Amino acid sequence: MAFLLDLANILGGLLLAIPLLRRVPNVGGGLARVADRVAPWSWLVGIAALVTAGFFFIVHLVEGHIWHFEVVGLIVGALLSWEKFTGRRILEAPGGTDPAGRALAVAIFGVIAIIVGVEGLFAPN
């Protein structure tokens, strides 16, 4: 279950951070192509993040301590499944311009989610 949370944080963070990662030379194009293929199913990654993070959030809340892995997972899940829940897009369609405003904030949070997901792979739980 913890592995699914870490995987959802990494993949969800990748999908959220694509506006920034496209700008990385020699890597951004390949990541963008992968993200474009996975993007139609990003809401499934969001649901997986919500379920796994919600489970660990409840378990750790009862134990008396909450970890950042769960909080990041809940936010990633909410951002990725926002369109399915509300019918409104949280992310603008990728364009040739640099990300700014809300798109930049979500992309930076995506990078943070990737880091937290990788950290979770190596953290004992």
Side-chain angles (χ1 to χ4, degrees):
M1 197 70 172
F3 179 71
L4 285 176
L5 175 60
D6 298 332
L7 198 62
N9 278 341
I10 293 170
L11 188 57
L14 174 70
L15 290 169
L16 293 173
I18 280 301
L20 283 179
L21 297 177
R22 285 182 197 269
R23 304 189 46 78
V24 176
N26 298 328
V27 178
L31 287 175
R33 283 190 295 276
V34 169
D36 289 340
R37 281 189 236 144
V38 176
W41 296 284
S42 64
W43 65 274
L44 288 174
V45 176
I47 296 297
L50 283 174
V51 168
T52 56
F55 169 77
F56 282 113
F57 186 81
I58 292 169
V59 168
H60 290 148
L61 185 65
V62 170
E63 291 177 356
H65 61 280
I66 297 174
W67 296 90
H68 60 286
F69 307 107
E70 297 105 30
V71 176
V72 169
L74 287 172
I75 296 170
V76 165
L79 288 173
L80 288 177
S81 56
W82 184 263
E83 185 177 357
K84 285 290 183 186
F85 289 148
T86 64
R88 293 178 291 160
R89 293 184 59 89
I90 189 104
L91 300 174
E92 294 83 19
T97 62
D98 293 336
R102 183 174 49 188
L104 181 61
V106 169
I108 290 171
F109 181 76
V111 172
I112 293 168
I114 293 170
I115 293 168
V116 167
V118 171
E119 177 191 6
L121 290 175
F122 299 105
N125 193 2

